[in-house]
Amino acid sequence: MNYDLKLFVLFCLLAGGELSAQNDLIDSYLSVAKNQAILYTGKVPLPYPAHIAGHPYLMFTEGTLYYDGVTYPQTYVRLDAYRGDLVVLTPDKSTEVILQPHLTDSAFFDGRLVFYFRPDGRKGCPAEGYYYRLYEGESTVLERRTYTLNETRKGEEVTAWFGASIKYYLRKDEAYYPVRSKGSVLKALGAHKKELNSYAKEQKLNFRRNTGEAIVSLVKAYERLNGKP
């Protein structure tokens, strides 16, 4: 092979490598763009009337979203507990978009995991909707936040506000149990009541002020007594 032919072959190889790299970059960009388009394509939530005091949600919080099999880190998310919607904020922070429940795997933000729960046929199964998963081991602890809209009228003046409701569920074996107090958790767990009562007293578990944390702590203690890590 003469010198000129060698240069020509080398040029073709280099050109082919650059073209391949460019194609990879284009494919990567199109994949990301497609995923972003899916995430930010949906209904825009209507604003709440100005006369309603407060809102049924916290501010948008940066977290990690798992949606339609794709992970979206550093995504701004919030849960509207009145309408039952999980909402994301576009990257330019100009538009809110309601996520589709059937595509929502879960979201982790504000130190908590929220997911869309679908009835699974177990006894006592709670209603469909978004729940916080507070703990998952041999048993599972769920939290459901909902809001109701309350109104009072005095002549032509209307006063409205949201009332919050928080419910907790313990899934043990093949059933769900609504729990809130120490007694309801002990009844659902069924065994080791004496040891768990002592544990709750020693740890000063407060089921009124820190309900979710107290439930999880007692469930973990129960599982340790059963030889679970």
Side-chain angles (χ1 to χ4, degrees):
M1 185 181 292
N2 62 38
Y3 181 74
D4 290 337
L5 183 56
K6 287 180 180 179
L7 286 179
F8 176 74
V9 171
L10 179 60
F11 173 78
C12 291
L13 289 173
L14 291 174
E18 289 180 0
L19 184 59
S20 177
Q22 288 176 359
N23 287 337
D24 289 342
L25 286 173
I26 291 171
D27 289 343
S28 177
Y29 172 79
L30 290 176
S31 176
V32 171
K34 178 183 178 182
N35 290 335
Q36 293 287 337
I38 292 173
L39 180 61
Y40 297 113
T41 300
K43 294 181 179 180
V44 175
L46 296 173
Y48 285 101
H51 73 278
I52 302 177
H55 298 286
Y57 47 72
L58 300 176
M59 295 178 63
F60 277 103
T61 305
E62 187 178 62
T64 300
L65 173 67
Y66 303 92
Y67 190 72
D68 195 22
V70 179
T71 301
Y72 298 90
Q74 299 177 321
T75 301
Y76 284 90
V77 188
R78 76 178 176 198
L79 178 63
D80 184 331
Y82 177 69
R83 292 171 174 160
D85 292 327
L86 192 62
V87 182
V88 292
L89 191 64
T90 54
D92 62 1
K93 299 182 180 181
S94 66
T95 307
E96 301 174 17
V97 179
I98 300 172
L99 295 177
Q100 299 181 58
H102 70 281
L103 296 179
T104 303
D105 302 315
S106 62
F108 187 82
F109 59 99
D110 199 26
R112 313 180 77 195
L113 184 140
V114 64
F115 74 107
Y116 194 81
F117 176 82
R118 295 169 180 81
D120 55 17
R122 290 185 172 94
K123 182 180 177 181
C125 185
E128 183 173 348
Y130 284 104
Y131 287 71
Y132 290 101
R133 183 182 296 136
L134 303 186
Y135 173 71
E136 185 163 31
E138 286 295 309
S139 302
T140 302
V141 179
L142 304 178
E143 176 187 309
R144 177 80 186 276
R145 291 176 178 252
T146 56
Y147 279 72
T148 56
L149 182 59
N150 307 288
E151 288 187 350
T152 58
R153 292 178 179 272
K154 188 175 181 180
E156 295 184 357
E157 184 179 347
V158 179
T159 302
W161 70 96
F162 288 106
S165 173
I166 303 176
K167 295 182 179 180
Y168 298 91
Y169 298 90
L170 168 61
R171 182 193 60 74
K172 179 178 177 289
D173 300 327
E174 293 302 311
Y176 289 90
Y177 303 89
V179 292
R180 176 170 290 274
S181 64
K182 181 181 69 174
S184 63
V185 177
L186 292 176
K187 184 178 179 180
L189 294 174
H192 306 297
K193 288 186 178 180
K194 183 178 179 180
E195 297 92 330
L196 292 174
N197 258 314
S198 298
Y199 173 82
K201 186 176 181 180
E202 291 169 2
Q203 298 298 316
K204 298 180 180 180
L205 300 183
N206 192 325
F207 283 83
R208 287 192 176 183
R209 184 170 297 179
N210 302 308
T211 309
E213 293 178 12
I215 293 171
V216 169
S217 184
L218 205 58
V219 170
K220 287 182 176 179
Y222 168 82
E223 293 189 353
R224 286 195 296 272
L225 288 169
N226 276 351
K228 304 300 179 182

